[in-house]
Amino acid sequence: MPTKQETEVPPSPKAPASSFLGHFDQFIDGTAMGWAIDLRPGTPPAKLHILIDQQEVMQVNCILPRTDVQSALQLPVNTVGFAFEVPNEFQDGRPHELSIRMPDRSVLPLANPADPTDKQPSVIFTKQLKREFRSFVDGVKQGALRGWVLGSDGPGTEFHGGCTISVTVDGVRICQTRADRYRGDVAAALGCDPNCGFEVPIPQHLRGNTPRTFRIMVLPDGDELAGSPFVTSLADDALAARLIDLADVIDGLQRKLTSLRTEVRNLIPTRGYNLGDYDRWARKYYPLLRERVAKQRLLYENSQPAPLVSILCPTYRPLQSDFEAAVNSVLSQTYQNWELIIIDDAGKCTQTTAIIDKFCQKDSRIRSLPLKKNAGISGATNAGMDAAKGEYVAFFDHDDLLVDVAIEVMVRAAQKTGAKLLYSDEDKIDQAGYLLEPNLKPDFNYRYLLGCNYICHLTMVETETMRKIGHLVSDYDGAQDHDFILRAAETLDYKHIHHVPEVLYHWRKTPNSTAVNVGNKTYAIEAGVRCVADHLKRRGIRAKVSSIRGLTLYGVRWLTRKTPKVTIIIPFKDQVETTRQCVEALLAKTNYKAFNILLVNNWSVERETELFIKEMNAHPKVSVLTVEEPFNYSRLNNLAVAETTADYYLFMNNDVFVSHEDWLSIAVGEALSSPDIGAVGAKLLYPNDTIQHSGVIVGPNGIGAHVHRGDPVSEYGYIGRTMLTHDVTAVTAAAMLVRADVFKEVGGFDEKGLAVAYNDVDLCLKIRNAGYRIIFCAEVVAYHHESLSRGSDDRPEHEARFFQETQTMLGRWSSNPLFERDPAYPRFFTVDQQPFFDLVDPETL
């Protein structure tokens, strides 16, 4: 830091402790000045020893005239001053320590920069040489911008080529390149380094008759080259120029139409649907569902058998009105070949018995199975399972309601898919008949199932398969159905477990039901923890299972002994403080041992970055790969992958900061929990503790949308999704762990079509399409300052590129079932509006 104070001459000493006297006057812009004398008579001028960073770098004779010192001390001569400049190698922008010693090694005090009256034995300074440039822009010739630039590292230093330049057109950067092309003409004229030229091809979309403003600057200082800026059009071929102009118009119209279409849709005065008015949505949905089923029925008549379905209804002292409504909902089924087995679990209620007898007399398809001794929910259901005669068995609670087409839809789905176990969506119905709180479900989601029994109602299973799975286990009462589904997952191939994406079951909300208050069945929580833990034991997997916040939501911590090598790949360009914070958090808050960090320097230009790179390369766990190419997120990561032999790659943005020490251990454990897991994503938070990422949904209307964005971190999300680890179709590469062999198998990131946007969604779709699963891990939490590193795609200069990448995704994936209907996301929710809240119009289903 430059320091300065007024020239100060102390009073003439009477009895100096040293033979030398002196003063340090000022230190400005790398030059130090002062004076010193040897008080012994007849001695030559004092010679000072200059130390930088405690090493002597030069000696300076005090021979400059200082009449002010001569006058004040009444000296015979005035040649007692000194001045010296810090050597260039220490003018590197880094802090250094300067100290001065007299000939007898005593200290010449230096002024404290913060307080000039405070004398210190040394001073810290930071000085950066001002670079000088010679340059010229030749202009645009044959479709390329040409010119040359020479730079020196400071006064008196040699000019050289290889400078980094930035080219902007109409204010938008199109290129960052190095001026190192051979220019013999420049070398002959100036006698300089010939490798100083540049030649930048002009992108085709900028050519045409439209005048363009070009600016060329040297980085990082921003010095503009001689001949810049200039304005020119690039119409070197009339026909080509006209075609380019027309293409620009078409692209602009296409983007404008897309924007106008969205704007018009938003302005159309139609009332949409969302969870807040689900009843209104449902009242429209059910008539349309019946119409769809009726049309499908015509296709199945006389072409498909009608297998018997046994509907099991364990009963224990139900409320009369609810029980009668439940049985009547079975009687109203459009599918006729069913039997209803009502298991009276020794309720010893004459009213219930009378109701059962009445229904048995009314319809021979209804059978009563009274138990002499109360067996509980599991025992009563088991009795019904043993008595079932049907080819399929459906489970039904005594106070709930079946939608009238429920059994028909389930049977047709079983016949169409060959599934052995099927489940539908469901909602709740209150005492007033108001429909609310739908449980709209994903396709079979094993990892989600470990965290909660999302399957629930309506469940139908092939009877032969049911008997292989076995009875319900009373030890798990309260979670007995969860245990049954987990055992089904052990018995069946996942392709034989099928989600029927229709709302076919109404779960009754009564004052004492778990639909109102889970506290009414607190024993279910403990039973749920045990049933999940026991399931994993049967599979031979070591894990710790616990309840989340005392609810029937379960966290699973995998206890693996394996420690595969992980390389954390972080692209960055300058932004030293942000990148440093990211790296330091990783080094300080990662208890996983087998990891290293690979920083990908994408042509940083700031001097501070050079020092940061040297510092990082000195750390045993960190290395830096420099890529001097235009920003291409996909390519940067692909190049980094080629530099490592790790078992897993952890792709991370430089503005992501981890928050707990076991984050990587948890992520690796999740990745190792099953051989079909290809990638694992993290829960990312904004600095204000709201959710930035908890999984990505895909679809033609939104390409890739983050779910629960902006929700407080304390919220559970839709059916626990922000708290529960579960399978998803995509996660963000801002923090994504990918298995190395899977990454290579699917071809890595797309460098050509998706350089900036959607490359992570595309990668995830390729991983899923190859048969691997992707996990959103709710237990891995980090903070993300989103898009700090590259900015937003909404800026005008990014519009064309973003539009093309959107079209690339639509062209590549629109016919793929994974993209057309995200299997991890209920089809009833919109993709392009607020996920897990806004509902699609039932007419579009």
Side-chain angles (χ1 to χ4, degrees):
M1 298 176 63
T3 64
K4 181 177 180 180
Q5 69 178 55
E6 296 299 325
T7 302
E8 178 183 338
V9 180
S12 178
K14 295 180 179 178
S18 169
S19 300
F20 298 91
L21 184 67
H23 189 266
F24 175 76
D25 291 340
Q26 62 185 27
F27 183 33
I28 298 177
D29 201 25
T31 299
M33 300 176 64
W35 57 270
I37 56 175
D38 187 340
L39 298 175
R40 296 172 298 177
T43 55
K47 180 179 290 187
L48 303 179
H49 302 268
I50 312 304
L51 284 70
I52 297 181
D53 298 334
Q54 301 180 3
Q55 297 292 322
E56 184 168 326
V57 297
M58 68 174 76
Q59 295 179 4
V60 176
N61 291 315
C62 298
I63 56 175
L64 299 179
R66 288 291 299 266
T67 56
D68 57 333
V69 178
Q70 180 188 29
S71 174
L73 298 182
Q74 299 180 0
L75 300 174
V77 294
N78 64 5
T79 51
V80 295
F82 69 84
F84 65 87
E85 186 173 359
V86 171
N88 287 346
E89 62 263 34
F90 298 106
Q91 299 188 46
D92 56 6
R94 303 179 67 179
H96 296 283
E97 181 185 29
L98 169 68
S99 58
I100 302 175
R101 296 289 186 270
M102 299 286 198
D104 64 354
R105 312 307 293 183
S106 61
V107 174
L108 176 66
L110 307 179
N112 181 351
D115 181 6
T117 64
D118 178 23
K119 301 302 187 292
Q120 301 289 337
S122 63
V123 66
I124 302 298
F125 71 92
T126 302
K127 176 70 169 63
Q128 181 71 58
L129 284 173
K130 176 62 178 176
R131 297 178 181 178
E132 297 180 353
F133 300 100
R134 298 175 183 171
S135 63
F136 190 73
V137 178
D138 298 329
V140 178
K141 299 178 181 178
Q142 297 178 338
L145 174 69
R146 292 179 170 86
W148 58 269
V149 57
L150 293 161
S152 75
D153 295 328
T157 61
E158 186 176 351
F159 280 86
H160 58 79
C163 299
T164 301
I165 63 169
S166 169
V167 179
T168 64
V169 179
D170 296 338
V172 178
R173 178 185 288 186
I174 65 164
C175 178
Q176 177 176 311
T177 189
R178 194 174 291 282
D180 56 4
R181 296 176 68 90
Y182 184 80
R183 287 294 298 260
D185 57 332
V186 178
L190 301 179
C192 63
D193 179 359
N195 298 310
C196 61
F198 60 85
E199 184 173 310
V200 178
I202 304 303
Q204 189 177 40
H205 71 274
L206 294 176
R207 302 180 186 181
N209 294 308
T210 304
R212 308 283 186 180
T213 301
F214 288 78
R215 301 184 79 99
I216 305 93
M217 290 167 286
V218 184
L219 300 176
D221 304 273
D223 295 76
E224 198 146 13
L225 272 61
S228 171
F230 68 92
V231 178
T232 186
S233 62
L234 305 172
D236 47 6
D237 180 276
L239 176 59
R242 179 58 179 158
L243 291 174
I244 291 167
D245 289 343
L246 289 174
D248 286 345
V249 171
I250 293 170
D251 287 346
L253 288 173
Q254 198 169 8
R255 291 194 295 272
K256 190 64 176 177
L257 282 172
T258 301
S259 175
L260 286 172
R261 187 182 296 115
T262 301
E263 185 176 352
V264 168
R265 283 176 177 170
N266 292 337
L267 291 174
I268 294 174
T270 58
R271 183 181 173 192
Y273 300 91
N274 57 53
L275 292 182
D277 60 353
Y278 171 75
D279 183 78
R280 183 173 68 91
W281 181 91
R283 302 299 171 185
K284 184 176 182 181
Y285 163 77
Y286 286 114
L288 293 169
L289 169 63
R290 294 182 182 101
E291 288 181 15
R292 285 189 280 112
V293 173
K295 291 178 182 178
Q296 294 168 2
R297 189 181 301 136
L298 297 175
L299 301 175
Y300 283 100
E301 280 183 346
N302 303 321
S303 64
Q304 290 283 354
L308 178 65
V309 178
S310 298
I311 304 171
L312 309 186
C313 182
T315 305
Y316 185 80
R317 297 184 178 182
L319 184 68
Q320 178 180 348
S321 59
D322 293 346
F323 181 44
E324 289 178 339
V327 177
N328 281 322
S329 75
V330 178
L331 288 168
S332 300
Q333 290 300 299
T334 56
Y335 187 83
Q336 297 297 307
N337 195 20
W338 52 263
E339 64 169 354
L340 173 62
I341 303 175
I342 303 176
I343 307 100
D344 186 352
D345 191 16
K348 299 179 181 179
C349 174
T350 56
Q351 183 185 62
T352 302
T353 301
I355 295 170
I356 295 173
D357 291 343
K358 180 185 71 174
F359 278 116
C360 288
Q361 293 170 8
K362 180 178 180 180
D363 195 309
S364 61
R365 295 173 297 178
I366 301 177
R367 288 197 283 147
S368 174
L369 185 61
L371 303 183
K372 295 181 179 180
K373 183 178 180 182
N374 181 264
I377 183 63
S378 294
T381 304
N382 291 340
M385 293 165 72
D386 291 340
K389 298 178 181 178
E391 187 175 332
Y392 294 94
V393 168
F395 300 97
F396 181 50
D397 285 354
H398 66 202
D399 55 357
D400 293 341
L401 297 174
L402 288 177
V403 175
D404 55 359
V405 296
I407 300 301
E408 180 178 1
V409 171
M410 297 293 278
V411 169
R412 299 312 179 200
Q415 292 174 327
K416 183 178 180 180
T417 65
K420 308 295 185 182
L421 186 148
L422 303 94
Y423 64 96
S424 76
D425 296 348
E426 62 190 291
D427 57 22
K428 294 185 177 70
I429 187 168
D430 65 14
Q431 296 297 91
Y434 188 81
L435 297 170
L436 68 167
E437 299 176 19
N439 181 2
L440 309 176
K441 305 169 186 178
D443 290 350
F444 184 66
N445 194 312
Y446 173 73
R447 188 60 182 86
Y448 190 29
L449 181 63
L450 293 181
C452 70
N453 180 18
Y454 78 91
I455 287 179
C456 211
H457 301 297
L458 172 67
T459 299
M460 188 179 85
V461 59
E462 182 191 53
T463 304
E464 181 182 350
T465 298
M466 177 191 73
R467 296 200 163 116
K468 289 179 182 177
I469 297 169
H471 283 156
L472 303 187
V473 179
S474 59
D475 286 349
Y476 301 125
D477 275 359
Q480 75 285 342
D481 48 354
H482 196 178
D483 169 68
F484 181 81
I485 298 298
L486 288 170
R487 284 188 284 123
E490 299 168 33
T491 304
L492 294 171
D493 190 300
Y494 292 170
K495 68 182 180 181
H496 290 141
I497 302 176
H498 179 68
H499 169 224
V500 179
E502 302 288 1
V503 187
L504 302 178
Y505 193 98
H506 303 308
W507 190 8
R508 178 82 65 180
K509 281 189 78 168
T510 62
N512 294 318
S513 73
T514 53
V516 175
N517 183 8
V518 73
N520 292 325
K521 289 189 176 182
T522 53
Y523 64 90
I525 299 168
E526 190 272 337
V529 170
R530 283 190 291 107
C531 85
V532 174
D534 291 347
H535 161 71
L536 294 174
K537 286 179 184 177
R538 290 191 298 271
R539 290 188 58 206
I541 298 174
R542 296 176 66 249
K544 181 180 179 181
V545 182
S546 59
S547 168
I548 296 175
R549 298 188 182 181
L551 297 172
T552 51
L553 303 175
Y554 315 112
V556 178
R557 181 69 62 91
W558 308 103
L559 304 176
T560 179
R561 293 188 177 92
K562 296 179 180 178
T563 54
K565 182 181 176 183
V566 178
T567 293
I568 302 173
I569 297 171
I570 307 172
F572 77 102
K573 179 175 182 176
D574 295 314
Q575 295 184 325
V576 167
E577 289 308 312
T578 298
T579 309
R580 184 189 301 278
Q581 184 179 348
C582 173
V583 173
E584 288 180 349
L586 289 170
L587 295 173
K589 296 181 179 179
T590 305
N591 61 15
Y592 188 83
K593 301 300 182 185
F595 84 96
N596 68 294
I597 300 170
L598 177 55
L599 296 174
V600 187
N601 168 33
N602 184 207
W603 213 336
S604 295
V605 294
E606 296 176 0
R607 296 184 179 98
E608 185 183 7
T609 309
E610 297 177 16
L611 306 177
F612 172 71
I613 290 172
K614 292 179 182 178
E615 177 187 345
M616 290 296 101
N617 273 323
H619 195 285
K621 276 190 172 291
V622 185
S623 58
V624 182
L625 170 67
T626 294
V627 179
E628 294 190 347
E629 297 179 7
F631 177 73
N632 181 323
Y633 179 85
S634 296
R635 179 162 172 78
L636 293 176
N637 283 290
N638 288 344
L639 290 172
V641 162
E643 296 294 315
T644 178
T645 58
D647 305 298
Y648 284 87
Y649 312 130
L650 195 291
F651 300 105
M652 180 174 282
N653 284 10
N654 72 326
D655 54 359
V656 169
F657 312 129
V658 298
S659 60
H660 55 102
E661 291 186 348
D662 54 357
W663 71 276
L664 187 52
S665 300
I666 295 172
V668 171
E670 200 66 54
L672 293 173
S673 65
S674 179
D676 63 349
I677 293 177
V680 177
K683 181 191 291 186
L684 300 179
L685 308 178
Y686 290 115
N688 64 352
D689 282 327
T690 58
I691 292 172
Q692 185 266 327
H693 171 265
S694 58
V696 174
I697 56 172
V698 303
N701 290 332
I703 308 296
H706 288 228
V707 300
H708 298 109
R709 174 174 282 183
D711 287 359
V713 69
S714 57
E715 295 294 321
Y716 293 91
Y718 185 72
I719 319 294
R721 276 173 173 78
T722 64
M723 293 291 177
L724 294 174
T725 295
H726 58 279
D727 290 71
V728 293
T729 298
V731 292
T732 177
M736 175 172 64
L737 181 71
V738 182
R739 221 172 81 187
D741 59 336
V742 173
F743 183 85
K744 293 171 183 175
E745 177 184 338
V746 302
F749 289 108
D750 177 10
E751 302 176 10
K752 295 182 179 179
L754 301 169
V756 179
Y758 298 132
N759 36 51
D760 48 2
V761 177
D762 177 69
L763 175 66
C764 287
L765 284 168
K766 289 190 291 187
I767 291 172
R768 291 282 287 110
N769 206 48
Y772 298 97
R773 294 160 55 207
I774 294 174
I775 303 295
F776 160 67
C777 186
E779 289 83 9
V780 176
V781 181
Y783 285 87
H784 185 200
H785 296 250
E786 185 184 24
S787 296
L788 180 63
S789 50
R790 67 172 178 87
S792 170
D793 288 314
D794 296 335
R795 297 196 323 215
E797 62 266 32
H798 295 164
E799 182 181 294
R801 185 265 306 158
F802 184 66
F803 177 78
Q804 290 301 324
E805 289 172 330
T806 299
Q807 297 306 304
T808 296
M809 287 294 292
L810 291 174
R812 179 174 299 167
W813 292 106
S814 283
S815 61
N816 190 292
L818 278 170
F819 189 71
E820 285 295 300
R821 189 179 81 77
D822 188 332
Y825 185 64
R827 71 176 185 134
F828 300 114
F829 288 116
T830 62
V831 175
D832 56 340
Q833 300 179 52
Q834 185 174 345
F836 286 117
F837 182 71
D838 288 303
L839 297 162
V840 300
D841 190 323
E843 291 186 358
T844 65
L845 296 171

